[in-house]
Amino acid sequence: MPKTIRELADELNVSKQTIQYHYQRLPTKNQQKNSQGTNIISPTAERIIRDKVAKPLVAKNQQTGGKKVTKSSKENNELIVTLRREIEDLKSQRDKQLATKDQQISSKDRQIEHLTKLIDQQQQLQLATVSENKKLSGLCENPNTFKNPQDGQPKEDIHKNKSSKWWWHFW
């Protein structure tokens, strides 16, 4: 038999607003109204709302209804000792992790330094190569400027020493 929100609230010993809150969050198929427009709670909706409202009530009763359990100072001391050990273990794990991280950072710093040196050397080699290429291109444009390394005199043009017959010999 369907109930109203007020009836269910009185039955469960909760406020009307609590039931209204849970009722509004039900799927629309479980929300019904009677001919006067009053919200009616079907048996299915009642079961859902009871489950939601009863769980917090049971938890509250269990917390406050039981006898207060006091721990002896011996149990408290044992708990404190156990917690201190856990704290020390966690601190040592943290220190190990930080040391490992510092080693990784140091290793990466060394790698960066090494790579920086390699880049610097590569740039110096490239500048030297460009300089030599400029010298060689200048010499190639004017082949008569080649000098004999022994006497410092320009080498003679190969074609001047050869007779003109020799040149036409290939044709």
Side-chain angles (χ1 to χ4, degrees):
M1 180 157 199
K3 297 179 181 177
T4 64
I5 290 176
R6 181 181 300 274
E7 291 171 346
L8 186 59
D10 291 340
E11 189 177 313
L12 294 176
N13 236 2
V14 295
S15 69
K16 183 177 156 187
Q17 289 84 6
T18 302
I19 302 299
Q20 183 71 32
Y21 173 83
H22 291 292
Y23 179 79
Q24 290 174 349
R25 277 145 187 81
L26 290 174
T28 53
K29 67 179 182 177
N30 292 332
Q31 296 178 5
Q32 299 173 355
K33 293 191 180 213
N34 64 7
S35 59
Q36 290 118 11
T38 307
N39 290 330
I40 299 295
I41 300 173
S42 68
T44 306
E46 182 181 344
R47 191 173 341 109
I48 294 170
I49 292 172
R50 276 184 187 274
D51 289 343
K52 291 184 180 189
V53 172
K55 287 180 184 176
L57 290 177
V58 170
K60 286 181 184 176
N61 288 340
Q62 287 176 350
Q63 289 176 356
T64 58
K67 291 182 180 178
K68 290 186 178 180
V69 178
T70 57
K71 294 184 178 182
S72 68
S73 63
K74 182 179 179 182
E75 290 174 337
N76 286 337
N77 289 340
E78 289 175 3
L79 181 62
I80 290 170
V81 169
T82 304
L83 292 173
R84 285 185 178 160
R85 281 189 206 135
E86 287 182 32
I87 289 170
E88 290 302 318
D89 289 342
L90 291 171
K91 283 182 179 178
S92 71
Q93 288 177 359
R94 179 201 61 197
D95 292 342
K96 287 177 186 176
Q97 289 174 349
L98 289 174
T100 303
K101 189 174 183 179
D102 288 345
Q103 288 174 351
Q104 290 172 346
I105 289 172
S106 175
S107 172
K108 290 184 189 265
D109 286 344
R110 285 193 300 269
Q111 288 176 344
I112 289 171
E113 287 177 21
H114 179 69
L115 291 172
T116 304
K117 284 180 184 178
L118 289 175
I119 289 172
D120 186 45
Q121 290 173 352
Q122 189 260 345
Q123 288 174 343
Q124 290 176 4
L125 286 172
Q126 190 171 5
L127 285 172
T129 304
V130 167
S131 175
E132 288 179 19
N133 285 344
K134 285 182 181 178
K135 286 179 187 177
L136 289 174
S137 67
L139 291 175
C140 288
E141 289 174 4
N142 191 0
N144 290 331
T145 60
F146 284 109
K147 296 192 177 191
N148 189 345
Q150 289 139 355
D151 61 3
Q153 297 296 323
K155 291 184 178 180
E156 295 179 14
D157 193 358
I158 304 170
H159 301 293
K160 288 182 182 178
N161 288 341
K162 304 287 180 181
S163 66
S164 59
K165 289 182 184 178
W166 185 81
W167 177 255
W168 294 106
H169 176 262
F170 291 110
W171 295 98

